[in-house]
Amino acid sequence: REAVVSTQSTGEYVKLISQMKMTGSIRSQIKAFLDGFYDIIPKHLISIFSDNELELLISGLPTIDIEDLKANTEYHKFSITSLQIQWFWRALRSFSQAERANFLQFVTGTSKVPLQGFSSLEGMNGVQKFQIHRDDRSTDRLPSAHTCFNQLDLPVYETYDKLRKNLLLAINECPEGFGLA
């Protein structure tokens, strides 16, 4: 239908156009896919899972090579010898595979390891290494992440235990990386 777009209705217009381009134009294909999918796994059985949980169910728990991730990491306002960076890698090594998958989900938006390893990690602009940025604002903050850039903002915690505890809290309570900062 035709409608006049005004300053007040711009947000609604963008939302409707985005919806139409992303889902409306392929509605019949989405319906056919879902009908087939729900034939295999009934909707009532799968609807109890979040998208992250469903990804792990379908793909399985990844094996995350910490040394490969470390070799493909850039540091901003930190160095490899910074105490917090040493604690960070120690904490990550202490995590279970499930916690490592949650960490990867937290910083990249997916729990999947790239097929060619972390040297092929994709960001918003193509291949982009994992980055750890120093967050000097407050050690009362949780680590936060920017998944488009594979970036972790890490406060300068005073102890290993505080870093590990806050990192686990952040990845378990906020799996998409944003918020709780």
Side-chain angles (χ1 to χ4, degrees), residues 68-80:
D68 183 34
L69 179 60
K70 186 176 179 181
N72 290 286
T73 297
E74 295 175 349
Y75 304 96
H76 298 268
K77 294 175 63 186
F78 275 126
S79 73
I80 189 102

Side-chain angles (χ1 to χ4, degrees), residues 7-180:
T7 304
Q8 291 81 17
S9 66
T10 301
E12 180 68 12
Y13 173 76
V14 169
K15 177 183 155 203
L16 292 171
I17 289 294
S18 298
Q19 251 178 353
M20 192 274 296
K21 292 203 181 272
M22 294 169 68
T23 58
S25 63
I26 57 169
R27 188 175 321 249
S28 62
Q29 291 92 335
I30 291 173
K31 183 182 178 330
F33 172 82
L34 288 175
D35 288 345
F37 187 80
Y38 293 142
D39 280 347
I40 298 167
I41 305 171
K43 186 175 185 176
H44 73 278
L45 294 178
I46 203 117
S47 63
I48 63 171
F49 298 105
S50 71
D51 56 338
N52 296 334
E53 292 167 332
L54 189 57
E55 178 183 338
L56 283 173
L57 280 173
I58 292 170
S59 301
L61 197 59
T63 300
I64 298 171
D65 182 347
I66 300 299
E67 292 309 311
D68 183 34
L69 179 60
K70 186 176 179 181
N72 290 286
T73 297
E74 295 175 349
Y75 304 96
H76 298 268
K77 294 175 63 186
F78 275 126
S79 73
I80 189 102
T81 59
S82 299
L83 192 55
Q84 287 76 19
I85 295 301
Q86 298 300 310
W87 290 340
F88 167 79
W89 291 116
R90 179 178 157 202
L92 212 52
R93 281 187 200 92
S94 77
F95 290 178
S96 67
Q97 284 298 329
E99 290 166 334
R100 290 177 184 186
N102 286 345
F103 170 77
L104 195 57
Q105 177 80 42
F106 180 74
V107 296
T108 68
T110 181
S111 59
K112 294 179 186 165
V113 176
L115 290 176
Q116 299 84 12
F118 287 107
S119 64
S120 299
L121 187 62
E122 291 279 331
M124 190 171 87
N125 300 314
V127 173
Q128 189 162 2
K129 288 188 175 192
F130 171 56
Q131 302 172 40
I132 303 175
H133 288 241
R134 182 180 176 128
D135 182 350
D136 287 313
R137 291 176 286 183
S138 170
T139 59
D140 292 331
R141 297 173 60 86
L142 292 177
S144 59
H146 307 277
T147 56
C148 292
F149 305 107
N150 304 323
Q151 176 181 324
L152 176 69
D153 293 341
L154 185 65
V156 186
Y157 295 117
E158 304 88 356
T159 67
Y160 166 76
D161 290 332
K162 186 172 183 180
L163 183 147
R164 186 179 189 283
K165 179 180 135 270
N166 284 346
L167 186 56
L168 277 171
L169 182 61
I171 66 175
N172 289 319
E173 298 301 324
C174 190
E176 294 303 321
F178 294 99
L180 290 180

